[in-house]
Amino acid sequence: MGDKGDGTLVVHAGLPEPVPGEPFLPGPVFAAPYHLDPVNGPGENGYGRPDNPTRRALEAAIGELEGGQVRAFATGQAAITALLLSVLRSGDTVALPSDGYFTVRAFAEGTLRDLGVSTVLVPTAGPYPSFEGVRLVLLETPANPGLDVCDVRAVSAAAHAAGALVAVDNTTATPLGQRPLELGADLVVASGTKALTGHSDVLLGYVATGDEDLLARVTTWRAQTGGTPGAFDCWLAHRSLATLDLRLARQTANAAAVAGLLSGRSDVTGVRWPGLSTDPSYEVAAAQMRRIPGIVSFDLGSAERVARFLEASELVFAATSFGGLHTTADRRAQWGDDTAPGFVRLSCGVEDTPDLVADLSAALDKS
Ligand SMILES: *Cc1c(COP(=O)(O)O)cnc(C)c1O
């Protein structure tokens, strides 16, 4: 499928060969133990923690999109901590984004520090320090929630020259937005909870890599620590993947219209969307990304104005997470994030663009 478009790719990703009488996407296989061959012992399916065919089909699908081998986890955090703990050892240093997903920093400042792993925090937009003595560089681009973008190819080259591994959190972009393994990263980690599955009903994470040794370490880690997603969630995720191209197309179109609307208003500041030609990340994003995600961030000045805006809007749901079918807004400071009180991360859904623009415009006027 290498020469096919994104829509074709996601519709067919991970599906078995057609068999008359069988469904396109086989239903979830619910099993803890499987029947064993009493003579020859376990085959492909022995026990549910390491082995599940529904999960393997999903992993094959995501693997086609990322261009690597995939191990699925119960959540994005399970995938990220699996990566960190299977690669890092006492005495190592990890470089993490200072403006990325805050739970990762909290984990580094707690568990990793206690295990003797040091952390250097680097802003996604740079400048990047020397990576001498660093074991792993984790990038997050676009960074959640500030949406700065970094040049994965350039940072990977610098990190590799210093002997460091590079992982990219691909949650915000999804593999249709960028392919970090093709840009030189050793690993991808991501939350599939967001745009990848996109229906606000599943928690999921994954690690992808083309390196057999790293894959083996992550596989062993998962088999021993057990943070696997259930079969039903894997099936829901695989089913949702088929519409990824369509969902992202509408989300991006909505974000473009919303970013245009917001940046034209004097009562909204700090509008960020890497697809705006005036955005500080525009050039790197345009060169590196295959499409720009449907997330726009901005500042309404105060928590009170954000509340008034959300009450006045008919279409924007107050909710955390992002990438779903419904437009949602999250005032990140309410979670103890180090963002300004009026900072909003808006996730554009798949509503009709004129409806969304009209609703946002009216809600801002009323607030
Ligand atoms: C949500 C998110 C995570 C964590 O994913 P969960 O599925 O919630 O555990 C990690 N990284 C980024 C960039 C995220 O947005």
Side-chain angles (χ1 to χ4, degrees):
M1 293 266 172
D3 54 344
K4 301 287 198 302
D6 286 352
T8 311
L9 194 63
V10 292
V11 160
H12 289 279
L15 296 189
E17 288 299 316
V19 174
E22 294 294 325
F24 298 0
L25 175 66
V29 173
F30 299 115
Y34 304 80
H35 289 295
L36 293 180
D37 178 334
V39 178
N40 298 308
E44 204 178 23
N45 295 323
Y47 184 59
R49 194 172 63 237
D51 307 325
N52 184 281
T54 312
R55 194 174 73 211
R56 281 199 300 272
L58 173 68
E59 291 171 341
I62 300 173
E64 285 181 42
L65 309 184
E66 290 285 5
Q69 296 223 64
V70 165
R71 292 296 174 263
F73 286 83
T75 66
Q77 274 306 113
I80 293 169
T81 54
L83 163 72
L84 296 172
L85 292 172
S86 58
V87 166
L88 298 168
R89 293 292 173 265
S90 179
D92 283 347
T93 297
V94 61
L96 298 177
S98 59
D99 50 348
Y101 191 65
F102 74 110
T103 312
V104 176
R105 287 198 299 285
F107 181 76
E109 284 154 16
T111 302
L112 286 186
R113 191 202 48 209
D114 293 349
L115 290 173
V117 174
S118 316
T119 300
V120 268
L121 294 177
V122 188
T124 297
Y128 281 82
S130 156
F131 293 121
E132 283 314 317
V134 173
R135 172 85 182 112
L136 172 71
V137 179
L138 175 62
L139 303 174
E140 189 182 309
T141 179
N144 168 24
L147 301 178
D148 272 330
V149 171
C150 72
D151 184 337
V152 174
R153 215 183 278 281
V155 177
S156 296
H160 288 154
L165 289 168
V166 176
V168 175
D169 185 326
N170 209 21
T171 302
T172 307
T174 84
L176 294 195
Q178 74 195 355
R179 303 235 163 87
L181 299 179
E182 284 175 10
L183 297 169
D186 303 288
L187 299 126
V188 166
V189 286
S191 169
T193 310
K194 317 292 171 53
L196 187 80
T197 59
H199 287 65
S200 309
D201 54 10
V202 167
L203 290 162
L204 185 79
Y206 66 89
V207 175
T209 183
D211 183 303
E212 291 296 337
D213 174 54
L214 291 170
L215 183 75
R217 277 202 245 178
V218 169
T219 307
T220 301
W221 174 268
R222 190 184 62 177
Q224 293 176 351
T225 59
T228 52
F232 187 66
D233 284 1
C234 289
W235 180 81
L236 267 182
H238 200 159
R239 182 184 194 269
S240 304
L241 215 52
T243 53
L244 182 60
D245 172 64
L246 290 172
R247 288 184 280 111
L248 291 181
R250 177 63 69 81
Q251 288 172 344
T252 301
N254 281 347
V258 165
L261 167 80
L262 297 178
S263 46
R265 290 189 67 116
S266 57
D267 58 346
V268 180
T269 60
V271 178
R272 292 296 309 270
W273 187 60
L276 273 180
S277 61
T278 51
D279 192 274
S281 287
Y282 175 76
E283 278 182 28
V284 189
Q288 169 169 287
M289 300 188 69
R290 304 173 74 243
R291 53 176 101 197
I292 308 296
I295 317 295
V296 182
S297 60
F298 53 93
D299 199 320
L300 291 186
S302 68
E304 293 72 27
R305 182 153 190 248
V306 176
R308 289 198 300 274
F309 162 72
L310 289 170
E311 288 211 313
S313 166
E314 279 180 25
L315 297 182
V316 183
F317 292 163
T320 192
S321 194
F322 57 88
L325 300 172
H326 310 86
T327 296
T328 58
D330 192 13
R331 193 177 71 78
R332 289 299 306 164
Q334 72 188 317
W335 304 98
D337 213 341
D338 50 4
T339 51
F343 175 92
V344 175
R345 182 186 63 206
L346 185 89
S347 172
C348 295
V350 301
E351 300 88 351
D352 288 285
T353 309
D355 292 342
L356 190 59
V357 168
D359 179 72
L360 281 172
S361 204
L364 287 169
D365 288 344
K366 275 191 228 157
S367 61

